[in-house]
Amino acid sequence: MNFEPVIGLEIHVELKTKSKMFSSAPVTYGKEANTQTVPLDLGFPGTMPVVNKEAVIYAIRVSNALHMNIDHELHFDRKNYFYSDLPKGYQITQDRRPIGSEGYLEIVVDGQKKRIGIERLHIEEDTCKQLHFKNFTLLNYNRAGTPLIEIVSKPEIRSGEEAMKYVETIRSIVVFSEVSDGKMEEGSLRCDVNVSIRPEGSKEFGTKVEVKNINSISYVKNAIDYEVKRQKEVIESGGKVIQETRRYDDETKTTVAMRLKTDSVDYKYFPEPNIIPIKLSDKFVNDAIASCPELAESKKERYLNEFKLNEYDASLLVSDKD
């Protein structure tokens, strides 16, 4: 039996603002643990969040680049869960009204252009970094509260190659628009992959497996290719694919089970009571879009048309911002 992969990606992008999403603490990388914090980042009672204006501008830039509808009213929600990486016991995010919705991205694979639908782009705060040891875990709150955007694709990707091109294009957009450095090795851009397979021609979705926190573009392709192969072997041997969360192991080039995911978690979302809805004027949104530096695709068109460069040279020049 021939199978068709069905793949959706969730990409988290850290924004390179000077301060955090809701506090005045600096956004840094590589500083001594727990030195880049203020009381809000640590969940101290009595502290109040204040929205980072620059982060909103950056989110609008990326939403526009992804041909999304931009919400002119900013709403935040609380996502409630208790875990050691979340000092407040909840994360401030956007659930009901993401700032960007219903967009798309065009990729080119084997000379063919394909459009991938994007469901939503929302703003949220990052969690703290955990270092796991055999008998204990260390917590570094320097990252807690760093501004993030999460970009959620529709399940319209059909191969590891397409997924890799999709991530490459997203990375190019956030780097050229100067909203993020896009360094996957430093966690500035992280990717979760949802993979299922179904018989060719079927409209029903198969059982979805999530592969978490992939930190390399090549690993995205490798993880998907392995997971598609693994799921085929499970079905062809008479078994059933289990809904679970896995991680990619680069040493073995395999995905490894982390935990079962039988039920969706009820995060008990409700509107963030400490941030009232903020109206964004047409001028604010238009200025945010106009302030965006030229993106790679636009540069490439200019190099081809104005400077008469060939396809190879133009592509090579825009493959790296520097």
Side-chain angles (χ1 to χ4, degrees):
M1 182 186 293
N2 292 326
F3 292 95
E4 176 187 54
V6 178
I7 301 155
L9 268 61
E10 299 168 12
I11 296 178
H12 291 83
V13 181
E14 283 187 352
L15 304 179
K16 60 175 187 180
T17 53
K18 290 180 181 177
S19 58
K20 293 183 180 177
M21 187 64 228
F22 302 109
S23 84
S24 60
V27 172
T28 58
Y29 178 78
K31 298 286 186 180
E32 185 179 350
N34 298 313
T35 60
Q36 310 296 299
T37 64
V38 297
L40 180 75
D41 307 326
L42 300 171
F44 278 44
T47 54
M48 295 286 279
V50 177
V51 176
N52 186 324
K53 183 177 177 182
E54 194 75 4
V56 177
I57 290 170
Y58 287 176
I60 291 170
R61 282 186 188 177
V62 179
S63 296
N64 181 67
L66 297 175
H67 314 96
M68 307 190 90
N69 301 320
I70 297 170
D71 195 338
H72 285 222
E73 195 166 281
L74 204 57
H75 288 250
F76 288 98
D77 301 281
R78 283 192 183 182
K79 178 181 181 179
N80 295 276
Y81 66 96
F82 182 77
Y83 197 58
S84 56
D85 67 356
L86 209 58
K88 298 190 295 292
Y90 61 86
Q91 178 188 40
I92 302 177
T93 183
Q94 291 186 301
D95 176 47
R96 299 160 302 137
R97 290 178 62 168
I99 193 165
S101 59
E102 294 301 323
Y104 67 87
L105 183 66
E106 289 186 336
I107 60 172
V108 177
V109 179
D110 298 329
Q112 298 293 312
K113 190 174 281 190
K114 178 174 179 177
R115 179 174 291 191
I116 306 295
I118 298 177
E119 186 177 307
R120 58 187 284 138
L121 179 153
H122 60 265
I123 304 169
E124 59 189 21
E125 58 181 338
D126 209 346
T127 56
C128 88
K129 185 175 177 63
Q130 301 182 101
L131 297 170
H132 298 293
F133 295 89
K134 186 175 181 181
N135 298 317
F136 62 93
T137 295
L138 296 179
L139 304 173
N140 180 358
Y141 287 102
N142 286 353
R143 194 180 73 183
T146 297
L148 282 180
I149 53 175
E150 181 174 351
I151 303 164
V152 182
S153 82
K154 295 185 177 180
E156 296 176 356
I157 298 168
R158 294 293 176 262
S159 70
E161 184 72 24
E162 286 185 8
M164 187 171 70
K165 292 290 184 184
Y166 175 87
V167 178
E168 282 177 350
T169 308
I170 293 281
R171 184 182 180 280
S172 170
I173 287 171
V174 301
V175 170
F176 274 79
S177 63
E178 297 180 359
V179 309
S180 175
D181 59 26
K183 293 179 179 177
M184 295 186 79
E185 69 278 7
E186 293 182 4
S188 300
L189 192 150
R190 310 193 291 274
C191 188
D192 296 341
V193 175
N194 294 304
V195 185
S196 65
I197 62 172
R198 62 187 178 189
E200 278 189 359
S202 172
K203 299 299 180 188
E204 297 287 323
F205 288 124
T207 302
K208 180 175 67 177
V209 170
E210 183 179 31
V211 187
K212 295 283 285 184
N213 289 329
I214 304 174
N215 64 353
S216 155
I217 290 176
S218 62
Y219 292 177
V220 170
K221 180 180 184 302
N222 293 348
I224 290 171
D225 289 347
Y226 174 81
E227 191 56 29
V228 169
K229 177 173 173 287
R230 184 189 72 84
Q231 291 185 26
K232 283 181 180 176
E233 289 173 352
V234 168
I235 293 171
E236 287 172 347
S237 65
K240 285 188 175 182
V241 175
I242 301 169
Q243 186 174 350
E244 61 185 346
T245 300
R246 300 175 73 89
R247 64 176 176 84
Y248 178 68
D249 185 327
D250 180 50
E251 286 189 12
T252 60
K253 303 290 189 292
T254 63
T255 64
V256 180
M258 291 169 63
R259 57 184 178 269
L260 293 177
K261 197 171 185 178
T262 52
D263 298 307
S264 61
V265 179
D266 182 6
Y267 292 113
K268 295 181 171 60
Y269 288 101
F270 62 84
E272 169 54 54
N274 291 326
I275 305 173
I276 62 171
I278 301 169
K279 289 188 181 296
L280 305 177
S281 68
D282 291 347
K283 183 180 186 306
F284 181 86
V285 173
N286 292 336
D287 286 351
I289 293 168
S291 70
C292 184
E294 189 178 24
L295 299 179
E297 195 58 36
S298 175
K299 281 186 187 290
K300 182 179 172 183
E301 289 299 315
R302 209 157 46 79
Y303 295 162
L304 290 170
N305 298 326
E306 280 187 42
F307 301 123
K308 308 301 179 189
L309 297 184
N310 61 44
E311 175 74 23
Y312 176 81
D313 288 343
S315 297
L316 188 65
L317 284 171
V318 300
S319 64
D320 183 270
K321 185 171 181 292
D322 292 334

mmCIF file of all heavy atoms in Angstrom, residues 266-283:
data_model
loop_
_atom_site.group_PDB
_atom_site.id
_atom_site.type_symbol
_atom_site.label_atom_id
_atom_site.label_comp_id
_atom_site.label_asym_id
_atom_site.label_seq_id
_atom_site.Cartn_x
_atom_site.Cartn_y
_atom_site.Cartn_z
ATOM 1 N N ASP A 266 -6.062 20.463 28.741
ATOM 2 C CA ASP A 266 -6.961 21.594 28.944
ATOM 3 C C ASP A 266 -6.203 22.684 29.697
ATOM 4 O O ASP A 266 -5.994 22.584 30.910
ATOM 5 C CB ASP A 266 -8.193 21.153 29.743
ATOM 6 C CG ASP A 266 -9.180 22.299 29.944
ATOM 7 O OD1 ASP A 266 -8.951 23.383 29.369
ATOM 8 O OD2 ASP A 266 -10.170 22.105 30.661
ATOM 9 N N TYR A 267 -5.781 23.705 28.960
ATOM 10 C CA TYR A 267 -4.985 24.773 29.564
ATOM 11 C C TYR A 267 -5.854 25.829 30.255
ATOM 12 O O TYR A 267 -5.333 26.787 30.794
ATOM 13 C CB TYR A 267 -4.107 25.451 28.505
ATOM 14 C CG TYR A 267 -3.013 24.553 27.969
ATOM 15 C CD1 TYR A 267 -3.028 24.123 26.644
ATOM 16 C CD2 TYR A 267 -1.954 24.156 28.777
ATOM 17 C CE1 TYR A 267 -2.022 23.314 26.144
ATOM 18 C CE2 TYR A 267 -0.937 23.347 28.287
ATOM 19 C CZ TYR A 267 -0.983 22.924 26.968
ATOM 20 O OH TYR A 267 0.021 22.127 26.479
ATOM 21 N N LYS A 268 -7.182 25.633 30.181
ATOM 22 C CA LYS A 268 -8.106 26.569 30.847
ATOM 23 C C LYS A 268 -7.778 28.033 30.500
ATOM 24 O O LYS A 268 -7.588 28.881 31.387
ATOM 25 C CB LYS A 268 -8.092 26.353 32.357
ATOM 26 C CG LYS A 268 -8.633 24.975 32.756
ATOM 27 C CD LYS A 268 -8.640 24.788 34.263
ATOM 28 C CE LYS A 268 -9.389 23.513 34.658
ATOM 29 N NZ LYS A 268 -8.809 22.290 34.086
ATOM 30 N N TYR A 269 -7.703 28.289 29.205
ATOM 31 C CA TYR A 269 -7.434 29.651 28.754
ATOM 32 C C TYR A 269 -8.508 30.618 29.246
ATOM 33 O O TYR A 269 -9.687 30.296 29.276
ATOM 34 C CB TYR A 269 -7.448 29.714 27.222
ATOM 35 C CG TYR A 269 -6.280 29.069 26.530
ATOM 36 C CD1 TYR A 269 -6.397 27.786 25.965
ATOM 37 C CD2 TYR A 269 -5.068 29.734 26.380
ATOM 38 C CE1 TYR A 269 -5.334 27.203 25.293
ATOM 39 C CE2 TYR A 269 -4.000 29.151 25.707
ATOM 40 C CZ TYR A 269 -4.136 27.886 25.169
ATOM 41 O OH TYR A 269 -3.095 27.309 24.498
ATOM 42 N N PHE A 270 -8.088 31.803 29.628
ATOM 43 C CA PHE A 270 -9.052 32.889 29.844
ATOM 44 C C PHE A 270 -8.335 34.209 29.570
ATOM 45 O O PHE A 270 -7.088 34.264 29.562
ATOM 46 C CB PHE A 270 -9.659 32.852 31.251
ATOM 47 C CG PHE A 270 -8.681 33.026 32.391
ATOM 48 C CD1 PHE A 270 -8.289 34.292 32.815
ATOM 49 C CD2 PHE A 270 -8.178 31.919 33.061
ATOM 50 C CE1 PHE A 270 -7.409 34.454 33.869
ATOM 51 C CE2 PHE A 270 -7.305 32.073 34.126
ATOM 52 C CZ PHE A 270 -6.911 33.344 34.530
ATOM 53 N N PRO A 271 -9.095 35.293 29.302
ATOM 54 C CA PRO A 271 -8.454 36.574 28.969
ATOM 55 C C PRO A 271 -7.507 37.033 30.079
ATOM 56 O O PRO A 271 -7.840 36.938 31.269
ATOM 57 C CB PRO A 271 -9.636 37.532 28.815
ATOM 58 C CG PRO A 271 -10.783 36.655 28.459
ATOM 59 C CD PRO A 271 -10.570 35.372 29.202
ATOM 60 N N GLU A 272 -6.327 37.509 29.691
ATOM 61 C CA GLU A 272 -5.341 38.017 30.646
ATOM 62 C C GLU A 272 -5.905 39.273 31.331
ATOM 63 O O GLU A 272 -6.101 40.311 30.677
ATOM 64 C CB GLU A 272 -4.031 38.349 29.923
ATOM 65 C CG GLU A 272 -3.012 39.133 30.727
ATOM 66 C CD GLU A 272 -2.671 38.487 32.065
ATOM 67 O OE1 GLU A 272 -2.290 37.304 32.090
ATOM 68 O OE2 GLU A 272 -2.801 39.187 33.093
ATOM 69 N N PRO A 273 -6.196 39.201 32.638
ATOM 70 C CA PRO A 273 -6.878 40.318 33.295
ATOM 71 C C PRO A 273 -6.017 41.561 33.499
ATOM 72 O O PRO A 273 -6.544 42.645 33.723
ATOM 73 C CB PRO A 273 -7.296 39.720 34.645
ATOM 74 C CG PRO A 273 -6.330 38.620 34.890
ATOM 75 C CD PRO A 273 -5.984 38.064 33.548
ATOM 76 N N ASN A 274 -4.686 41.407 33.420
ATOM 77 C CA ASN A 274 -3.806 42.545 33.669
ATOM 78 C C ASN A 274 -3.421 43.310 32.398
ATOM 79 O O ASN A 274 -2.664 44.277 32.474
ATOM 80 C CB ASN A 274 -2.530 42.079 34.389
ATOM 81 C CG ASN A 274 -2.808 41.622 35.805
ATOM 82 O OD1 ASN A 274 -3.684 42.167 36.463
ATOM 83 N ND2 ASN A 274 -2.081 40.614 36.261
ATOM 84 N N ILE A 275 -3.915 42.851 31.235
ATOM 85 C CA ILE A 275 -3.654 43.581 29.988
ATOM 86 C C ILE A 275 -4.982 43.769 29.270
ATOM 87 O O ILE A 275 -5.559 42.804 28.750
ATOM 88 C CB ILE A 275 -2.663 42.821 29.071
ATOM 89 C CG1 ILE A 275 -1.362 42.495 29.812
ATOM 90 C CG2 ILE A 275 -2.361 43.651 27.820
ATOM 91 C CD1 ILE A 275 -0.415 41.604 29.026
ATOM 92 N N ILE A 276 -5.477 44.981 29.236
ATOM 93 C CA ILE A 276 -6.734 45.225 28.534
ATOM 94 C C ILE A 276 -6.482 45.187 27.022
ATOM 95 O O ILE A 276 -5.353 45.377 26.574
ATOM 96 C CB ILE A 276 -7.351 46.584 28.937
ATOM 97 C CG1 ILE A 276 -6.415 47.733 28.553
ATOM 98 C CG2 ILE A 276 -7.692 46.615 30.410
ATOM 99 C CD1 ILE A 276 -7.049 49.104 28.724
ATOM 100 N N PRO A 277 -7.516 44.916 26.208
ATOM 101 C CA PRO A 277 -7.333 44.948 24.749
ATOM 102 C C PRO A 277 -6.770 46.295 24.297
ATOM 103 O O PRO A 277 -7.150 47.348 24.816
ATOM 104 C CB PRO A 277 -8.752 44.727 24.218
ATOM 105 C CG PRO A 277 -9.434 43.966 25.305
ATOM 106 C CD PRO A 277 -8.873 44.506 26.588
ATOM 107 N N ILE A 278 -5.841 46.242 23.365
ATOM 108 C CA ILE A 278 -5.165 47.444 22.864
ATOM 109 C C ILE A 278 -5.533 47.633 21.400
ATOM 110 O O ILE A 278 -5.266 46.755 20.564
ATOM 111 C CB ILE A 278 -3.632 47.307 23.013
ATOM 112 C CG1 ILE A 278 -3.253 47.099 24.488
ATOM 113 C CG2 ILE A 278 -2.921 48.523 22.432
ATOM 114 C CD1 ILE A 278 -1.805 46.687 24.693
ATOM 115 N N LYS A 279 -6.124 48.769 21.067
ATOM 116 C CA LYS A 279 -6.473 49.055 19.682
ATOM 117 C C LYS A 279 -5.226 49.518 18.934
ATOM 118 O O LYS A 279 -4.514 50.412 19.401
ATOM 119 C CB LYS A 279 -7.568 50.120 19.610
ATOM 120 C CG LYS A 279 -8.940 49.628 20.073
ATOM 121 C CD LYS A 279 -10.022 50.647 19.796
ATOM 122 C CE LYS A 279 -11.377 50.150 20.297
ATOM 123 N NZ LYS A 279 -11.822 48.948 19.588
ATOM 124 N N LEU A 280 -4.979 48.911 17.787
ATOM 125 C CA LEU A 280 -3.853 49.295 16.931
ATOM 126 C C LEU A 280 -4.404 50.130 15.784
ATOM 127 O O LEU A 280 -5.228 49.654 15.005
ATOM 128 C CB LEU A 280 -3.143 48.053 16.389
ATOM 129 C CG LEU A 280 -2.662 47.027 17.433
ATOM 130 C CD1 LEU A 280 -2.036 45.820 16.735
ATOM 131 C CD2 LEU A 280 -1.669 47.652 18.401
ATOM 132 N N SER A 281 -3.952 51.355 15.665
ATOM 133 C CA SER A 281 -4.452 52.221 14.599
ATOM 134 C C SER A 281 -3.951 51.739 13.245
ATOM 135 O O SER A 281 -2.936 51.034 13.145
ATOM 136 C CB SER A 281 -3.992 53.663 14.827
ATOM 137 O OG SER A 281 -2.588 53.764 14.655
ATOM 138 N N ASP A 282 -4.638 52.122 12.182
ATOM 139 C CA ASP A 282 -4.193 51.797 10.830
ATOM 140 C C ASP A 282 -2.775 52.326 10.609
ATOM 141 O O ASP A 282 -1.953 51.664 9.984
ATOM 142 C CB ASP A 282 -5.137 52.400 9.785
ATOM 143 C CG ASP A 282 -6.499 51.713 9.784
ATOM 144 O OD1 ASP A 282 -6.621 50.643 10.402
ATOM 145 O OD2 ASP A 282 -7.434 52.251 9.166
ATOM 146 N N LYS A 283 -2.509 53.533 11.129
ATOM 147 C CA LYS A 283 -1.179 54.133 10.962
ATOM 148 C C LYS A 283 -0.114 53.285 11.644
ATOM 149 O O LYS A 283 0.969 53.049 11.070
ATOM 150 C CB LYS A 283 -1.158 55.551 11.538
ATOM 151 C CG LYS A 283 0.181 56.274 11.345
ATOM 152 C CD LYS A 283 0.151 57.669 11.919
ATOM 153 C CE LYS A 283 1.438 58.428 11.584
ATOM 154 N NZ LYS A 283 2.672 57.738 11.984
#
